[in-house]
Amino acid sequence: MRLRALLDNDALGLRLLGGENELDRGVRGVMTTDLRDPSRYLSGGELVLTGLAWRRTAEDSEPFVRLLAGAQVAGLAAGEAELGDIPDDLVQACLRHRLPLFAVNESVAFATITEYVVRQVSGERAGDLAAVVDRHRRLMTSGPAGGGPDAVLDLLGSDLDLHAWVLSPTGRQIAGVGEGLPTEVGAALAGEHLAAVRHGRRAPHRAVARGVTYSLFPIRNTGRGAAAPAVRDVREGVLSDWLLAVEADAADWPAARLDLLQGVTQLIAVERDRREAARTVRRRLAQEVLELVQTGAAPAEIAARLRVAAPVLLPGLGSAPHWQVVVARVDWGGDAAVETGQVTQSLLEEILIDPAATGQDSADRIAVAHSGDEAIALVPLPAVSLGGPEDAPPPSEAGLHADALLESVRTPLAAGLADDGRLTLGVSAAVHSAEGLRGALEEARHARRVAAARPGLVCAAGHHELASHVLLLPFVPDDVRRAFTARLLDPLRDYDRRHRAELIPTLEAFLDCDGSWTRCAARLHLHVNTLRYRVGRIEQLTGRDLSRLEDKLDFFLALRMS
C-alpha cells in the first residue's frame, strides 16, 4: 500500500504535517514504539507509530528522526494524546530528513491503524477470515470494549477452532482462554521456541509436548509476516520476545491462515507495547533510586525517593516496606558486541514474577533498572517485619531466594542461551532503610559474581553464600580498610605513577568482566597478549594470583573500599 492511502480513510484520524511529496512511498509493515532508538527493530518500509514518550526535550527529536530515516521507514505517525499538538521541533526534523509526518488524533487507538495497515499489506482475505481480523481489531482497541489478547485468542477458538496461548520467554502464560497450559508444558514450549530461534529456523516452529503438537509463532513488532527482526544480532532480543503457541500443526496450513496468524501476532505486539509503556514509571523510579545509591546520595534523599516508590509498587500499603536488591547479567561469547542491558532488564522483570501467575499485569510490583550490562531490581517485601508474628520468618530468611527464582525458568532460558551465553543472578538480604540499600546493592552484585564463578548456563547465588567479612564490610574500622587497600593497591598505584601502565583500570575492568580475557581486552581496546602482560605485572607486584577466587575477591573489596 502507499502512504497516501492512510489519508483516504477518515476513520484513521490522520493529519499530514509534512512530506506531501513523499506520499507514494510503499508501506510494508507497522511498528509501535517509544524507544529512543528503535532502529535495530526496523527492517525498512514501516509506518512507525509513537506516543512521544521518548521525547524529554526539543533536542531529542533530531536524533530520533535521523535514526528512522537511516532505517528507511516509510513514515512517522505521532499521537496527540501525550503532548497535545505535535511539537514543532519534531515537525522540522522530519522536514529536514524528508520523512512524512502524520498526527494521530487522541481519540484513535494505534491498534486501529495497525490493523488497517496489516490488512492492506496482507491483501484481502477470504470473507470469514477478514471478518475475524476485523473483530480482532475492535476488541484490541482501548476502552471498555477492548478485550486485549484474551479476546483475540477467544475469537481464534470460536471462529477457527484454534486453542492458543501467549507465553513469555520463560513459558509463563500471559494470555489464554479456557484451561491454561500446565507450567511444565509452557516451559517446554518456550525452550523449543528459543532453541529454534537460536538455530535460525523459520517460524512457525513445530513442537510436541506431552504428545500434543503445537505451532509456535514469535511475537515481534517488525511488520508483516514471519520476517526476522531487524536487529544486529538475534541474541539481542531472543530472551525477551513473547510467543504465540497454537495447539495445531501448521505445516499444511494454507497461506491465508498462516497470514492471519501473523496478523494476530502483530495485534498482540500492540498489547506488548502497552505493557512496556505501563512499566515506564516503575522503571524510572528504580533508575532514580539506583543513581542516588550509586552516587553516594544522602540516606534522607534516598529515603524520600523510596517513599515515592512504595505507593506505586504496593498501593495501599501505608508505609515503606523492606526491600531486596536483585542483580542479573547476560553475557555472550564471541567477538561481536551484543547489547544486553535492556534485554536483561525485561528478562529480570519476567524472572521475578511467580511462574504460576498469569496475565500481562503480574509485574506491577516490580521495578527494574539497568546500568550498563546489569539489570538491577528493587523488590518490595511488605511481609518482612522485625516485630511480626512469632511464626513469621525472620528477615534473613524471608523474601526472594536465589535458587528458587531460577528453578522454573532454568530449562527454557538455557535453550535460548545455547552454547555461547550465560545468565548470572545475585540476591541481597532484605533491608529496611535507605542506609542499608547501598550495602544491599553491593551484596547482590557480589553474589552475582559468585554465581559467575560457577559452571553452568544459568546460575544464581544469594546473600547466605557470601563470606562473613563481606556482610560485615560496612562495620570495618577505617584504619583497617586503609591498611587492607594500601597493601594490595599501593604497589600498583606507584607503578602506574612511574610508568603510566594503567594497572588499576586494567584490574577493575578484568574483575568487572569476571576474568574473561576476550571481553576485557575488547572493553579496554587492547590485544589479549597486552592484557595478559598487564595482569601478569599485577600478580608480580602484589604476589597474588588472579586465577584464584580468593585473590579476585580481595582485589574486588580493596577497590570498593578505596
Side-chain angles (χ1 to χ4, degrees), residues 376-548:
I376 302 167
L378 187 66
V379 183
L381 299 173
V384 177
S385 173
L386 294 174
E390 293 183 1
D391 58 349
S396 61
E397 298 179 6
L400 304 174
H401 292 263
D403 287 335
L405 284 176
L406 298 180
E407 182 178 356
S408 63
V409 303
R410 193 182 307 273
T411 299
L413 292 183
L417 294 164
D419 56 356
D420 61 346
R422 292 198 73 205
L423 168 65
T424 52
L425 182 144
V427 181
S428 79
V431 296
H432 65 280
S433 67
E435 289 86 348
L437 206 54
R438 184 169 187 176
L441 174 59
E442 291 302 321
E443 190 173 72
R445 279 178 165 159
H446 181 63
R448 192 204 64 78
R449 291 177 183 274
V450 171
R454 297 171 173 168
L457 298 180
V458 182
C459 298
H463 62 93
H464 298 92
E465 303 175 63
L466 302 185
S468 59
H469 61 276
V470 178
L471 299 177
L472 297 175
L473 189 59
F475 306 100
V476 176
D478 288 342
D479 56 342
V480 176
R481 289 176 180 237
R482 286 191 293 269
F484 180 75
T485 57
R487 185 167 60 252
L488 276 176
L489 301 183
D490 279 1
L492 306 182
R493 290 170 176 151
D494 292 341
Y495 192 86
D496 279 349
R497 278 194 295 269
R498 294 197 308 270
H499 303 282
R500 297 181 180 179
E502 298 188 9
L503 296 184
I504 291 291
T506 300
L507 176 62
E508 291 176 329
F510 187 73
L511 293 176
D512 194 46
C513 291
D514 298 323
S516 168
W517 298 99
T518 303
R519 285 192 288 110
C520 184
R523 176 178 295 189
L524 297 175
H525 305 289
L526 297 175
H527 192 278
V528 172
N529 289 342
T530 303
L531 175 61
R532 292 186 184 277
Y533 172 81
R534 288 188 184 181
V535 171
R537 180 65 66 183
I538 292 170
E539 293 175 334
Q540 182 183 34
L541 291 170
T542 60
R544 299 300 186 104
D545 182 354
L546 276 168
S547 67
R548 299 177 67 246

Side-chain angles (χ1 to χ4, degrees), residues 13-137:
L14 295 177
R15 181 164 46 90
L16 184 65
L17 300 182
E20 295 87 349
N21 296 329
E22 305 292 333
L23 292 180
D24 284 328
R25 292 185 181 186
V27 180
R28 299 192 310 176
V30 62
M31 175 186 180
T32 301
T33 184
D34 274 311
L35 294 174
R36 297 170 71 87
D37 179 9
S39 58
R40 60 182 177 274
Y41 301 110
L42 296 166
S43 56
E46 294 92 348
L47 173 67
V48 176
L49 307 176
T50 180
L52 299 177
W54 51 267
R55 182 187 179 276
R56 298 176 183 173
T57 67
E59 287 72 25
D60 292 336
S61 293
E62 171 64 26
F64 180 78
V65 173
R66 184 172 63 250
L67 289 167
L68 295 187
Q72 297 183 331
V73 303
L76 174 64
E80 296 179 323
E82 182 75 16
L83 301 178
D85 292 336
I86 305 304
D88 186 66
D89 48 271
L90 180 60
V91 176
Q92 295 303 317
C94 288
L95 290 174
R96 284 193 296 272
H97 291 278
R98 298 178 62 185
L99 182 66
L101 175 64
F102 301 87
V104 182
N105 189 281
E106 62 180 353
S107 65
V108 178
F110 282 178
T112 301
I113 301 172
T114 297
E115 168 54 16
Y116 177 81
V117 173
V118 169
R119 288 185 60 191
Q120 293 300 313
V121 171
S122 300
E124 293 299 328
R125 295 175 173 82
D128 60 331
L129 296 182
V132 172
V133 173
D134 187 60
R135 292 172 66 190
H136 290 172
R137 178 193 61 76

Side-chain angles (χ1 to χ4, degrees), residues 214-494:
Y214 298 86
S215 294
L216 311 177
F217 296 79
I219 297 174
R220 307 183 185 119
N221 255 345
T222 55
R224 174 182 179 269
V231 296
R232 291 185 294 273
D233 192 309
V234 69
R235 294 174 294 183
E236 291 184 9
V238 66
L239 297 179
S240 60
D241 286 337
W242 286 0
L243 67 139
L244 176 66
V246 181
E247 188 180 321
D249 190 344
D252 298 324
W253 280 6
R257 177 165 288 202
L258 284 172
D259 199 34
L260 171 63
L261 265 293
Q262 299 296 348
V264 168
T265 65
Q266 283 290 296
L267 293 173
I268 296 174
V270 174
E271 191 68 16
R272 172 91 189 255
D273 286 342
R274 291 177 182 168
R275 189 201 68 157
E276 291 297 309
R279 288 185 173 182
T280 300
V281 172
R282 298 192 298 278
R283 286 174 170 174
R284 185 179 300 132
L285 285 172
Q287 200 73 41
E288 290 173 356
V289 173
L290 174 63
E291 290 173 0
L292 290 174
V293 171
Q294 293 191 131
T295 56
E301 187 176 0
I302 299 174
R305 182 52 54 189
L306 288 176
R307 284 194 294 272
V308 172
V312 174
L313 300 177
L314 292 171
L317 184 65
S319 62
H322 289 66
W323 305 90
Q324 263 182 297
V325 175
V326 182
V327 174
R329 177 167 170 162
V330 174
D331 291 297
W332 298 102
D335 297 329
V338 181
E339 296 181 5
T340 61
Q342 291 184 341
V343 170
T344 310
Q345 180 184 41
S346 178
L347 180 60
L348 182 55
E349 288 170 339
E350 180 61 35
I351 289 172
L352 291 173
I353 302 173
D354 183 343
T358 60
Q360 63 265 25
D361 299 324
S362 303
D364 283 350
R365 297 181 177 183
I366 298 169
V368 180
H370 73 88
S371 177
D373 291 335
E374 285 183 337
I376 302 167
L378 187 66
V379 183
L381 299 173
V384 177
S385 173
L386 294 174
E390 293 183 1
D391 58 349
S396 61
E397 298 179 6
L400 304 174
H401 292 263
D403 287 335
L405 284 176
L406 298 180
E407 182 178 356
S408 63
V409 303
R410 193 182 307 273
T411 299
L413 292 183
L417 294 164
D419 56 356
D420 61 346
R422 292 198 73 205
L423 168 65
T424 52
L425 182 144
V427 181
S428 79
V431 296
H432 65 280
S433 67
E435 289 86 348
L437 206 54
R438 184 169 187 176
L441 174 59
E442 291 302 321
E443 190 173 72
R445 279 178 165 159
H446 181 63
R448 192 204 64 78
R449 291 177 183 274
V450 171
R454 297 171 173 168
L457 298 180
V458 182
C459 298
H463 62 93
H464 298 92
E465 303 175 63
L466 302 185
S468 59
H469 61 276
V470 178
L471 299 177
L472 297 175
L473 189 59
F475 306 100
V476 176
D478 288 342
D479 56 342
V480 176
R481 289 176 180 237
R482 286 191 293 269
F484 180 75
T485 57
R487 185 167 60 252
L488 276 176
L489 301 183
D490 279 1
L492 306 182
R493 290 170 176 151
D494 292 341

